[in-house]
Amino acid sequence: MAETKTDNKMTVVALVENEPGVLNRIASMFRRRAFNIDSLTVGRTHRPHISRMTIRVVAGPEYAMKIATNLQKLVNVIDVRVLDNEPHIERDLALIKVRNDDADSRNTITEICDRYPARIVDVGPEVAIIEMVGTETILEAFIEEVKPTGIVEMIRTGVVSMGRGTRIHDTNFINRRALVEAASKARSGNGRLV
Amino acid sequence: MRLKGSEIIMECLLKEGVHVMFGYPGGAILPTYDAMAKYDDRLHHVLVRHEQGASHMADGYARATGEVGVCIATSGPGATNLVTGLATAMMDSSPIVAITGQVPIPAIGSDAFQETDVTGVTLPVTKHNYLVTDVRDLAYTIKEAFYIARTGRPGPVLVDVPKDVQIAETEFIYPETDIVLPGYHPPSTAREHEVEGALRLIAEAERPIILAGHGIMMSGAMGEVRELAERAQIPATLTLLGKGALPEEHPLVIGMMGMHGEACSNHAIQEADLLIALGMRFDDRVTGNLKTYAVNARKIHIDIDRSEINKNVKADVGIAGDLKTVLNQLLPKLERKSHPEWIGRIRDWQEDSSERDILNYETPGKLLTAQVINDIWRITGGDAITVTDVGQHQMLEAQYYPHQRPATLLTSGGLGTMGFGFPAAIGAKFGKPDEEIWAIVGDGGFQMTLCEMATAVQENANVNIAIINNNFLGMVRQWQELFFEKRYQATPMVNPDFCKLADAYGIPNRLVTQREQVEDAVEYARSIDGPTLIEFVVEKEEMVYPMVPAGADLHDMKRRPKPGEA
């Protein structure tokens, strides 16, 4: 599904059933349809059987809609929303290991960290680890500043997003097995599980 | 009732209304085969000769009846042999449920004998699939599988059942409640503004055309589409899989569209000011070059799969919904209209086409595929279920065998699977035992699945096999002639004597080399209750016209010259 790409990134949020193989299904669909993904994060929600994904794509709104409709087609995907049409919060987290073996670099790093929402979470004689949380843009600006001191290792979680206000992206669905068991219990009347 | 997993599978199939399943046994599925004996009087098992045949038979059964077809295979190679059939069913939205054995749960991931990650392998070619790891999940998983296969946009669903799950026992309770799937809600009705939008475009159109697809038959919207066409006097062209959605003898139906469609259909699409696409998906074989496709037309697109709207062609009014439901919302408000000038233009194109018709050519001493197929159409009263393979004979069937009823042409459209025709015809026979079934196949495709002749004999399946034999892979040869300067690389075929082969299987057969022999042979095949085979030896280097070269503009067709022009 090649399409003219633009530079802006779109954010798609999906609620999925927390079942084995779901991530594989989603990754397989992206590969099969040749969708280009910038980042994909997945984590649990307050409902143990539901996970939530944030998918960032470098694309225009039409492309994001194609991704959304194809995601929605997967049986294990409960709900999908393209977040860019509404105000939302986004956060990306990075752990960055930097050189820390002389006074100059130690000072520079402390000074940069002071100006950003960043913390030094581990310090050793040669290297230190910085934890930085923020929007993707701020994170990238921070990384650019730290680069000259010498990044030796880095990991980013990828962006997670949530819409602002009261338009809640959630579901009351209780998991399938429980539903069927409840129905069967009611039917057999003996409380025995299926 | 305490049952083994294998018995639960059988009970569930019965609950789903299954009477017949197509399969092949093996180690990991043996417990289920063992359980079959007990259910033999209610559930007939058809032993195929290759699992690919089982998946195509389930597909043919599903296409002929609209009900879910079932195929069964063992783990590893048994399951991987189903893949072509699953992919075929996926592309053409055919509802099948495949049940496969898997190695016992403790052995999964250990590269055990005949172990394959079947849910992994079939993930992109199924609508959904399951690996059942607890016998207590088995009943509702199978119920869910049937529900997903037959609802929304239908498709294949695979259930992989490890051997120890088939052996384990549990209390069997079939979930009587409706399936509730949190993420699965096929769309049904259109919104009011969408209906209004569609009505407005139809009212404003001067040169409208209906593109009638497979979805019409799956939604059961044949009557609604016909009423739409008649009330607003809109001509209708069919996709390959849409054949049968409207009777082709209807004056508003102008034949197939696309790469080998009627020239009038393709011209009409290009010159239309409104396309009304119903249950079709703008496949590249239908559109040609998208940049120049129907540029002057606004588009109404109605399909049950939301992701099809705006996928290839941007819709002015895109409606994700069940076609029958949506048309019933629309029809009460549809004004009567007529487009005599537009239809007159289409008649002119049709006239030009009929002058080029190969049936009007003098072809002394030659037997042509179009003649064979048109003769079969005439002799069967145009009322048989024809199941084709893939290639020239398939396109010529679409051109020369007009269909009047839904689900009477079964063919692999999306995937173009050679080897589909003959096993699918056997499956169709089990679904429609009272109908006359013709498998029209080429010499190439037939040889991919001809082992199923043994299945047809063992089951005495009354399928008439018409082999269109030109000793070439005809369609590939046509492309080589047109686009590769007649370098016939790997297309000439040295074939077996098909009649002797039929003899070996015990199938009555005829050889036809002349036009005069066609009628007698076809009548002979019809007179026999059981499989028959006719080998039609046709002209070696035929061409299918019109042809839109791949990627070319839809109106840029290669045409057969008129007599005297060549």
Side-chain angles (χ1 to χ4, degrees):
Chain A
M1 282 202 183
E3 190 178 283
T4 331
K5 309 247 171 34
T6 60
D7 274 345
N8 48 323
K9 291 185 181 174
M10 305 285 290
T11 307
V12 181
V13 174
L15 295 177
V16 306
E17 287 184 74
N18 186 9
E19 281 197 4
V22 173
L23 186 60
N24 190 14
R25 287 178 198 282
I26 289 166
S28 166
M29 188 279 286
F30 284 141
R31 184 187 46 77
R32 185 161 72 87
R33 301 271 180 204
F35 287 134
N36 275 318
I37 300 300
D38 189 60
S39 79
L40 187 155
T41 63
V42 54
R44 270 180 251 170
T45 64
H46 59 301
R47 303 182 199 276
H49 50 277
I50 294 174
S51 297
R52 177 161 165 148
M53 288 186 177
T54 308
I55 300 146
R56 296 274 285 168
V57 286
V58 183
E62 274 182 34
Y63 196 74
M65 272 314 291
K66 281 186 182 178
I67 290 178
T69 52
N70 277 288
L71 269 174
Q72 189 70 73
K73 220 167 128 171
L74 299 173
V75 172
N76 299 119
V77 174
I78 299 167
D79 199 13
V80 183
R81 222 153 94 190
V82 180
L83 270 191
D84 299 71
N85 309 321
E86 54 185 292
H88 62 278
I89 302 291
E90 59 158 69
R91 287 292 179 270
D92 195 353
L93 182 147
L95 292 177
I96 307 162
K97 190 179 279 180
V98 289
R99 286 207 184 286
N100 195 31
D101 46 6
D102 61 74
D104 261 5
S105 58
R106 271 197 292 276
N107 289 341
T108 316
I109 284 160
T110 319
E111 185 269 327
I112 299 171
C113 286
D114 281 347
R115 287 187 285 109
Y116 283 92
R119 298 196 297 148
I120 296 163
V121 289
D122 184 56
V123 183
E126 286 171 47
V127 291
I129 299 176
I130 308 167
E131 171 201 285
M132 163 72 189
V133 182
T135 62
E136 206 174 20
T137 329
I138 296 176
L139 210 80
E140 266 151 28
F142 176 77
I143 291 163
E144 280 309 307
E145 285 209 46
V146 175
K147 245 181 204 166
T149 60
I151 297 176
V152 291
E153 216 182 306
M154 187 178 101
I155 177 68
R156 287 169 66 168
T157 58
V159 174
V160 293
S161 285
M162 191 173 281
R164 296 175 64 184
T166 52
R167 214 184 132 206
I168 308 295
H169 191 218
D170 192 18
T171 169
N172 281 321
F173 138 78
I174 55 169
N175 84 35
R176 260 189 272 177
R177 177 86 173 267
L179 267 180
V180 174
E181 285 179 355
S184 305
K185 259 189 239 174
R187 188 172 156 274
S188 64
N190 58 9
R192 202 160 40 185
L193 295 184
V194 192
Chain B
M1 187 172 33
R2 244 184 127 65
L3 292 179
K4 288 183 192 158
S6 55
E7 296 164 325
I8 290 176
I9 294 173
M10 296 297 120
E11 292 285 343
C12 289
L13 294 180
L14 286 173
K15 289 274 188 189
E16 293 296 335
V18 176
H19 308 294
V20 60
M21 50 199 169
F22 307 92
Y24 203 98
I29 195 73
L30 256 182
T32 296
Y33 270 81
D34 192 46
M36 271 177 206
K38 234 172 70 181
Y39 296 86
D40 216 21
D41 53 331
R42 288 164 290 168
L43 258 176
H44 180 58
H45 177 267
V46 175
L47 175 64
V48 301
R49 293 302 184 271
H50 185 290
E51 290 88 350
Q52 182 185 349
S55 50
H56 290 325
M57 285 179 208
D59 190 349
Y61 178 93
R63 290 179 200 234
T65 60
E67 286 157 26
V68 180
V70 176
C71 56
I72 298 189
T74 193
S75 65
T80 56
N81 279 345
L82 294 177
V83 170
T84 302
L86 294 171
T88 306
M90 183 72 174
M91 282 292 251
D92 289 347
S93 311
S94 183
I96 68 180
V97 166
I99 293 168
T100 48
Q102 179 56 277
V103 300
I105 293 167
I108 288 179
S110 72
D111 301 323
F113 177 65
Q114 293 195 330
E115 183 191 359
T116 302
D117 172 14
V118 171
T119 42
V121 168
T122 59
L123 200 150
V125 295
T126 51
K127 186 173 171 187
H128 197 57
N129 64 20
Y130 299 88
L131 171 65
V132 182
T133 53
D134 186 332
V135 70
R136 292 176 301 166
D137 295 345
L138 192 54
Y140 82 76
T141 301
I142 294 177
K143 179 162 179 168
E144 236 179 65
F146 275 86
Y147 174 73
I148 290 172
R150 70 159 75 94
T151 53
R153 178 176 179 176
V157 180
L158 180 137
V159 185
D160 200 22
V161 190
K163 193 173 186 179
D164 47 349
V165 173
Q166 298 168 44
I167 293 166
E169 287 189 9
T170 189
E171 194 65 22
F172 172 64
I173 297 171
Y174 196 69
E176 299 292 344
T177 46
D178 288 341
I179 293 287
V180 181
L181 287 166
Y184 183 76
H185 310 285
S188 112
T189 54
R191 298 193 194 125
E192 201 47 44
H193 73 89
E194 294 170 334
V195 174
E196 296 301 329
L199 285 166
R200 187 170 49 77
L201 294 196
I202 295 171
E204 288 170 6
E206 286 167 7
R207 300 184 308 281
I209 184 163
I210 290 171
L211 313 184
H214 192 196
I216 295 170
M217 289 178 275
M218 292 204 270
S219 173
M222 291 77 71
E224 284 79 4
V225 174
R226 188 171 173 162
E227 195 182 335
L228 169 70
E230 285 173 354
R231 206 186 307 171
Q233 284 296 301
I234 306 172
T237 168
L238 309 163
T239 67
L240 175 63
L241 293 189
K243 274 177 73 83
L246 292 164
E248 283 184 71
E249 64 190 6
H250 193 289
L252 283 169
V253 178
I254 60 170
M256 188 170 73
M257 67 181 96
M259 184 176 271
H260 293 293
E262 301 289 341
C264 66
S265 295
N266 291 345
H267 282 309
I269 288 168
Q270 293 299 72
E271 305 216 353
D273 66 353
L274 176 66
L275 305 187
I276 307 171
L278 306 176
M280 56 84 72
R281 61 183 176 88
F282 293 108
D283 180 86
D284 55 271
R285 287 307 194 250
V286 151
T287 62
N289 181 3
L290 280 171
K291 287 198 177 72
T292 58
Y293 179 71
V295 280
N296 301 315
R298 296 198 278 188
K299 285 103 183 171
I300 299 171
H301 190 183
I302 309 177
D303 196 279
I304 197 152
D305 183 349
R306 196 179 297 278
S307 71
E308 289 298 345
I309 315 281
N310 295 331
K311 184 180 84 175
N312 295 335
V313 169
K314 194 153 169 41
D316 297 271
V317 175
I319 302 177
D322 169 55
L323 188 59
K324 189 181 174 84
T325 313
V326 173
L327 288 180
N328 276 317
Q329 288 175 275
L330 192 136
L331 283 172
K333 298 175 195 162
L334 182 74
E335 305 277 346
R336 288 195 177 279
K337 279 193 78 176
S338 63
H339 309 95
E341 211 174 294
W342 173 228
I343 287 171
R345 263 178 86 188
I346 290 173
R347 297 282 176 254
D348 291 343
W349 286 317
Q350 282 178 317
E351 205 155 300
D352 174 71
S353 288
S354 62
E355 286 176 39
R356 299 167 191 266
D357 192 329
I358 188 129
L359 294 183
N360 298 335
Y361 274 60
E362 292 284 323
T363 51
K366 289 179 177 178
L367 183 60
L368 302 179
T369 309
Q371 296 168 342
V372 173
I373 287 169
N374 208 241
D375 285 351
I376 295 177
W377 167 76
R378 186 171 44 78
I379 298 161
T380 58
D383 205 36
I385 294 180
T386 59
V387 189
T388 78
D389 218 78
V390 171
Q392 287 184 319
H393 73 276
Q394 177 191 34
M395 292 299 110
L396 290 164
E397 199 286 348
Q399 294 178 350
Y400 288 97
Y401 197 117
H403 289 265
Q404 311 303 335
R405 293 182 299 141
T408 52
L409 168 60
L410 315 183
T411 189
S412 169
L415 199 67
T417 308
M418 285 176 71
F420 168 84
F422 175 45
I426 297 174
K429 187 68 201 178
F430 279 94
K432 294 278 182 189
D434 299 330
E435 301 247 11
E436 179 176 351
I437 310 265
W438 280 85
I440 300 176
V441 297
D443 48 317
F446 182 62
Q447 288 185 74
M448 289 191 174
T449 46
L450 62 71
C451 57
E452 303 306 340
M453 281 199 284
T455 310
V457 170
Q458 186 163 346
E459 296 289 335
N460 195 37
N462 189 355
V463 171
N464 304 312
I465 308 164
I467 302 180
I468 309 295
N469 183 8
N470 56 5
N471 288 285
F472 256 119
L473 296 174
M475 188 57 93
V476 184
R477 190 210 59 78
Q478 174 166 341
W479 284 52
Q480 288 171 331
E481 175 173 341
L482 291 172
F483 313 118
F484 295 90
E485 292 158 340
K486 295 196 178 187
R487 288 186 296 274
Y488 295 151
Q489 178 65 29
T491 42
M493 295 198 108
V494 176
N495 286 325
D497 181 329
F498 289 108
C499 289
K500 274 191 184 162
L501 206 53
D503 280 337
Y505 281 95
I507 292 179
N509 56 80
R510 287 284 171 89
L511 176 69
V512 173
T513 55
Q514 302 297 320
R515 182 92 190 260
E516 304 76 61
Q517 304 166 319
V518 175
E519 179 151 354
D520 186 50
V522 171
E523 288 294 7
Y524 170 71
R526 299 181 79 204
S527 71
I528 289 173
D529 180 23
T532 53
L533 182 147
I534 311 174
E535 178 184 352
F536 296 95
V537 179
V538 297
E539 176 61 20
K540 285 176 82 73
E541 299 190 16
E542 285 187 75
M543 299 289 278
V544 181
Y545 289 116
M547 180 182 194
V548 182
D553 305 338
L554 190 61
H555 51 270
D556 184 16
M557 285 168 275
K558 291 184 185 297
R559 304 291 303 276
R560 180 181 295 109
K562 293 180 186 177
E565 255 184 22

